[in-house]
Amino acid sequence: MQDIYKKHPPKIASADKPHLDFLRFGKLEQVTKIQAVIEAAKKNGIGTASEISHLLNKLLIKTAIGDKWTPRLAWFAVSAIRSHGQDPDRRKIGQEIGNQQRSDAKFRDLVNRVVKSRLAEIKDEFEASKPTLGEASPELAELKRRLEGKTT
């Protein structure tokens, strides 16, 4: 996800911090759920912050202060979770999260179903947005009609 920002990733604003402070608000189990969503999305080729925020909201997973996810907040959450393993002070929390995640197979199944559903929605949206020959070029549509009229 950092590809979109190249060498200039956004800086977290003070207004964003409470949304991501699950430890302070006693909602550490939410991190497990968010991590499961991010992993499932990644396995299925979904990696944009917009899509991840959409999935989190569809699963009714809230930010630490109970708000809906925005792409910006999702970007910060993904970045924090990805760098989480590199922070030695947080290894114990990471181990606890890992233990919870392994025991929550039902939630991961739900996440996988929602991700697959979203992939189907994206495919349908893409198919619906494809222009037909006549919409793309009326001249070609007319030529096609004339050629089909001559061959039949």
Side-chain angles (χ1 to χ4, degrees), residues 80-93:
I81 287 172
R82 286 187 181 160
S83 65
H84 185 267
Q86 298 168 4
D87 186 350
D89 294 335
R90 296 188 181 184
R91 285 203 181 121
K92 184 178 178 186
I93 295 171

Side-chain angles (χ1 to χ4, degrees), residues 11-65:
K11 299 222 185 287
I12 191 163
S14 59
D16 298 327
K17 289 179 182 179
H19 291 279
L20 303 169
D21 198 349
F22 293 96
L23 192 57
R24 177 176 166 207
F25 290 101
K27 298 181 179 182
L28 195 56
E29 70 281 354
Q30 290 291 84
V31 177
T32 304
K33 292 179 177 182
I34 295 164
Q35 201 169 22
V37 171
I38 292 167
E39 288 173 4
K42 185 178 177 182
K43 286 179 187 174
N44 287 282
I46 296 175
T48 67
S50 177
E51 284 300 327
I52 290 173
S53 67
H54 181 87
L55 290 169
L56 291 168
N57 290 328
K58 192 170 185 176
L59 287 161
L60 303 177
I61 299 171
K62 303 288 186 187
T63 66
I65 61 172

Side-chain angles (χ1 to χ4, degrees), residues 103-115:
S103 67
D104 204 2
K106 285 183 182 180
F107 178 75
R108 284 195 277 150
D109 288 342
L110 173 64
V111 168
N112 286 330
R113 285 194 309 271
V114 169
V115 168

